[in-house]
Amino acid sequence: EAEVAQSPRYKITEKSQAVAFWCDPISGHATLYWYRQILGQGPELLVQFQDESVVDDSQLPKDRFSAERLKGVDSTLKIQPAELGDSAMYLCASSLGLAAGETQYFGPGTRLLVL
Amino acid sequence: GENVEQHPSTLSVQEGDSAVIKCTYSDSASNYFPWYKQELGKRPQLIIDIRSNVGEKKDQRIAVTLNKTAKHFSLHITETQPEDSAVYFCAAYLIRNDMRFGAGTRLTVKP
């Protein structure tokens, strides 16, 4: 069964450094999501792509976070500079499209620790 | 925007007992309500979902009920087993696949 891939699985960095996360969605899935999950909480949407276009980035802290999906397939989420409060699990998910009820399939996540 | 409240935050049951987790949502336009199970260190996985035109859906030991008037939906797990132990998240879909998640319920099933 196809799965969403993410790398790295774990990342430790010092504050003020730059970090980048990569996501490869399930083949054929047009919609890609980046979520942040703080320990003990549910996932919070950061940014949503439909193909290569950003559909919703209203919750993305744009002063330090950026995301791209240049060819409408894989995607990169970057944080620069990282802050202590960015320590969290970053989950990528994909779905066939934007229609109501399209199942979102999650990747294994990247756990970030900022020291 | 949508706001999803989930209760309880932790739930402990004996093996074989039933478990119920409840969620409320704020936006009456929400029309799709999935439930995800997340085992320790693993990705969230969809276990069941319900659309706003249906009041109840069942899949073996798992069922979900939806009350649109009261804007709440619940997950019911019967005959619980130790492997049901995990964190369960409810979510409400508003528009353009914009889903808001609850804070999660940590379910522990004691053998």
Side-chain angles (χ1 to χ4, degrees):
Chain A
E1 182 177 305
E3 293 185 332
V4 176
Q6 288 187 250
S7 66
R9 294 292 308 277
Y10 305 92
K11 181 70 178 178
I12 300 175
T13 191
E14 295 183 342
K15 63 179 181 179
S16 80
Q17 296 299 303
V19 292
F21 313 132
W22 177 80
C23 172
D24 191 13
I26 292 173
S27 178
H29 280 196
T31 311
L32 184 147
Y33 317 79
W34 283 102
Y35 289 89
R36 176 171 57 189
Q37 185 178 23
I38 296 170
L39 195 63
Q41 298 182 20
E44 293 179 285
L45 181 69
L46 292 175
V47 62
Q48 178 181 342
F49 290 90
Q50 178 67 11
D51 299 313
E52 67 277 7
S53 300
V54 173
V55 174
D56 183 0
D57 63 355
S58 57
Q59 301 301 313
L60 189 70
K62 298 181 188 64
D63 56 336
R64 297 184 300 107
F65 286 65
S66 64
E68 61 183 17
R69 193 184 183 198
L70 293 177
K71 297 183 178 178
V73 181
D74 58 337
S75 175
T76 303
L77 178 70
K78 297 179 181 177
I79 308 175
Q80 184 175 16
E83 295 181 353
L84 296 177
D86 296 332
S87 294
M89 174 76 85
Y90 290 83
L91 291 163
C92 178
S94 70
S95 66
L96 279 171
L98 291 171
E102 288 285 2
T103 301
Q104 292 189 23
Y105 296 89
F106 284 85
T110 296
R111 185 169 295 282
L112 173 67
L113 178 61
V114 182
L115 301 175
Chain B
E2 178 63 277
N3 185 40
V4 178
E5 300 283 340
Q6 183 171 348
H7 300 279
S9 56
T10 60
L11 179 60
S12 181
V13 300
Q14 274 311 123
E15 183 177 359
D17 288 351
S18 295
V20 180
I21 302 170
K22 298 180 179 181
C23 288
T24 60
Y25 59 98
S26 60
D27 198 318
S28 57
S30 293
N31 58 9
Y32 172 65
F33 307 92
W35 285 88
Y36 284 84
K37 175 183 180 182
Q38 187 173 27
E39 297 178 62
L40 189 63
K42 296 189 177 180
R43 69 191 75 195
Q45 292 197 306
L46 179 74
I47 56 171
I48 196 167
D49 56 14
I50 192 167
R51 286 166 172 71
S52 58
N53 59 347
V54 175
E56 183 174 358
K57 184 177 178 179
K58 189 173 182 180
D59 182 5
Q60 299 181 355
R61 297 186 297 108
I62 296 173
V64 58
T65 58
L66 172 64
N67 184 326
K68 286 194 301 180
T69 303
K71 289 188 283 187
H72 67 70
F73 56 112
S74 300
L75 177 71
H76 305 253
I77 306 175
T78 58
E79 301 171 25
T80 54
Q81 301 167 3
E83 51 265 39
D84 293 330
S85 296
V87 179
Y88 292 81
F89 293 98
C90 64
Y93 168 99
L94 185 53
I95 57 172
R96 296 184 310 181
N97 228 1
D98 179 7
M99 286 206 307
R100 302 298 166 124
F101 286 81
T105 296
R106 181 172 298 280
L107 173 65
T108 303
V109 180
K110 300 178 182 176

